[in-house]
Amino acid sequence: MSDEEQGIKMVMAIIRPDKLSDVKTALAEAGAPSLTVTNVSGRGSQPAKKGQWRGEEYTVDLHQKVKVECVVADIPVDDVVEAIAESAHTGEKGDGKVFVLPVESAVQVRTGKEGNPAV
Amino acid sequence: MSDEEQGIKMVMAIIRPDKLSDVKTALAEAGAPSLTVTNVSGRGSQPAKKGQWRGEEYTVDLHQKVKVECVVADIPVDDVVEAIAESAHTGEKGDGKVFVLPVESAVQVRTGKEGNPAV
Amino acid sequence: MSDEEQGIKMVMAIIRPDKLSDVKTALAEAGAPSLTVTNVSGRGSQPAKKGQWRGEEYTVDLHQKVKVECVVADIPVDDVVEAIAESAHTGEKGDGKVFVLPVESAVQVRTGKEGNPAV
Ligand SMILES: Nc1ncnc2c1ncn2[C@@H]1O[C@H](COP(=O)(O)OP(=O)(O)OP(=O)(O)O)[C@@H](O)[C@H]1O
Ligand SMILES: Nc1ncnc2c1ncn2[C@@H]1O[C@H](COP(=O)(O)OP(=O)(O)OP(=O)(O)O)[C@@H](O)[C@H]1O
Ligand SMILES: Nc1ncnc2c1ncn2[C@@H]1O[C@H](COP(=O)(O)OP(=O)(O)OP(=O)(O)O)[C@@H](O)[C@H]1O
Ligand SMILES: [Mg+2]
Ligand SMILES: [Mg+2]
Ligand SMILES: [Mg+2]
C-alpha cells in the first residue's frame, strides 16, 4: 500500500449496450478486468423521443442501456473512469455517465480475504 | 454553486412496477428527469406469502419491484426523495424504500464534463 | 440507538445463482430478512473460459450471477457480511464478492418513516 492509498471505490457506468465489448477490453487493459453487468433502461436530459407505429403515435422515453460496475482498490480510480469514458464514447447524445461511489469494505467469498486484496 | 453545496448524491428507490410512470413524472416535475431503471425482485420485513397452485402449496417470497436510480447534484436531494416517496405511495405494505448514497465524482461520456455539470 | 451507532449501510453481494436460497435463509437468521435481488452477469480475475460448439470455438467471458442488496442499520453490518460470505461459499473459483457502501438516509414509502426505523 502506498502513501496515496485511495481506498476502495465502485465505478458505476451507464453505457450503450453496443459499447460493452470495447469497455470490457479497455478495463482489462487498464488492469481492472473484474466487473458486473446489468441490463437497465434509462433516460438522460433529453425530452422523450416520439415515433409512429401503425398510425399510432408513441413515445420512447426509456432507452436500453447497460450498467457496468467495477470495484477497484489498487489502481487509480481516475484511470478506470477514463478507460470507460474513452471506450464508451461516440460523441452522439446518449453516450452515458460514469459515477464513482465510496466502498467501505470488501470480502472475497472463496478465500475470505478482506480489504484491498479482496477486490 | 451555492454555499449550501450538497455534493453529488445517488437516490436509489425500490418501488412497485405500476408506480414507475407516476415516479417518472414526479421526478421530471422536481427537475430531476434523468434516471436509470432496473427490474429487480425483493422482500421487505413481512414473512413470505403462501398460495396454492393446482393443489400444491407454494411460497412467494420475492416480489417483482423496480429499482430507480437518480443521481442529482444541483437540486436539493431531499426534494427528489420526497418526490419519489409521494408518487410511489399507496399506503399498502410493499410500497418500497428510498435510500441516498454519496457519489464522489461524475463524468458525462459524450462531453467529458466532470462534477455537478456532468450529472 | 447505542453508543456504537454504525449508521446505515448497503451490503451488496455478487453470488452464484444457486446459492441465493441459502443466502436468503442466512440473512433471515441474522436478523436481516429484507433484500433486493438483481440478475446480473460478470467476470472476476480469471481469464475468459474457452469452449467449442459445433466445431466453432467460443469464449464465455461473462458468467450469470445474482446481486443481493441488503440495507441494514440496527444490526452489525459485519454479521450481515459474514452471513452472506459463509452461506455463499463453495470454495471453487467464482464464489463472488461482498461490498459495503455507506448510505446517508432512508425513507420507508408506506409510512414516511426516516432513518434507521425506515430500513
Ligand atoms: N443523473 C442521472 N442519474 C441516473 N442515471 C442517469 C443520469 N444521467 C444519465 N443516466 C443514465 O445514463 C443513460 C444515458 O444518459 P445520457 O448519455 O443521455 O445523459 P445526458 O445527460 O442526456 O447526456 P447527452 O446530452 O450526451 O445525451 C440514461 O439513459 C440513464 O440510464
Ligand atoms: N432493507 C432493505 N434492503 C434492501 N432492499 C429492501 C429493504 N427493504 C425493502 N427493500 C426492497 O423494497 C421492496 C419493498 O419493501 P417493502 O415496502 O415491503 O418494505 P417493508 O419494510 O416491508 O415495508 P412495508 O411494511 O410497508 O411493507 C422489497 O421487496 C425489497 O426489494
Ligand atoms: N472487483 C469487482 N468489481 C465488480 N464486480 C466484481 C468484482 N470482482 C468480482 N465481481 C463480480 O463477482 C462475480 C464473481 O467473481 P469471482 O468470485 O470470480 O471473483 P474472483 O476475484 O475472480 O475470485 P475467485 O478467484 O474466487 O474466482 C463476477 O462474475 C463479477 O460479477
Ligand atoms: Mg441524453
Ligand atoms: Mg413489506
Ligand atoms: Mg473468479
Side-chain angles (χ1 to χ4, degrees), chain B residues 14 44-46 81 85 89 93-99, chain C residues 34 105-119:
Chain B
I14 317 292
S45 46
Q46 279 80 39
V81 170
H89 187 265
K93 284 175 181 295
D95 273 356
K97 303 282 169 90
V98 189
F99 303 116
Chain C
S34 303
S105 65
V107 175
Q108 187 183 37
V109 173
R110 176 175 60 88
T111 59
K113 271 186 207 160
E114 298 183 20
N116 286 23
V119 169

Side-chain angles (χ1 to χ4, degrees), chain A residues 9 41 43 61 67 97 100, chain B residues 24 33 37 69 104 107 119:
Chain A
K9 305 294 177 191
S41 62
R43 69 179 183 199
D61 72 336
K67 183 198 277 186
K97 303 281 170 92
V100 177
Chain B
K24 285 193 298 186
V37 174
E69 286 163 312
E104 295 184 352
V107 175
V119 167

Side-chain angles (χ1 to χ4, degrees), chain C residues 7-84:
Chain C
I8 307 175
K9 305 294 176 191
M10 174 172 292
V11 182
M12 179 191 290
I14 317 293
I15 61 167
R16 297 180 188 279
D18 59 11
K19 280 292 185 177
L20 178 58
S21 177
D22 289 352
V23 168
K24 286 193 298 186
T25 304
L27 282 170
E29 284 169 7
S34 303
L35 83 193
T36 296
V37 174
T38 313
N39 292 315
V40 299
S41 62
R43 68 181 184 199
S45 46
Q46 279 81 40
K49 215 161 65 181
K50 285 184 165 48
Q52 288 246 338
W53 190 74
R54 296 193 173 178
E56 299 286 334
E57 192 174 83
Y58 66 89
T59 312
V60 183
D61 72 337
L62 294 184
H63 303 265
Q64 296 302 311
K65 299 286 169 183
V66 162
K67 183 198 277 187
V68 175
E69 286 164 312
C70 187
V71 178
V72 295
D74 292 329
I75 56 170
V77 66
D78 289 348
D79 293 0
V80 175
V81 170
E82 203 185 308
I84 298 176

Side-chain angles (χ1 to χ4, degrees), chain A residues 8 71 103-108 113-116 118-119, chain C residues 98-100:
Chain A
I8 307 174
V71 178
V103 175
E104 294 184 352
S105 65
V107 175
Q108 186 183 38
K113 271 186 207 161
E114 298 182 20
N116 286 23
V119 168
Chain C
V98 189
F99 303 116
V100 177

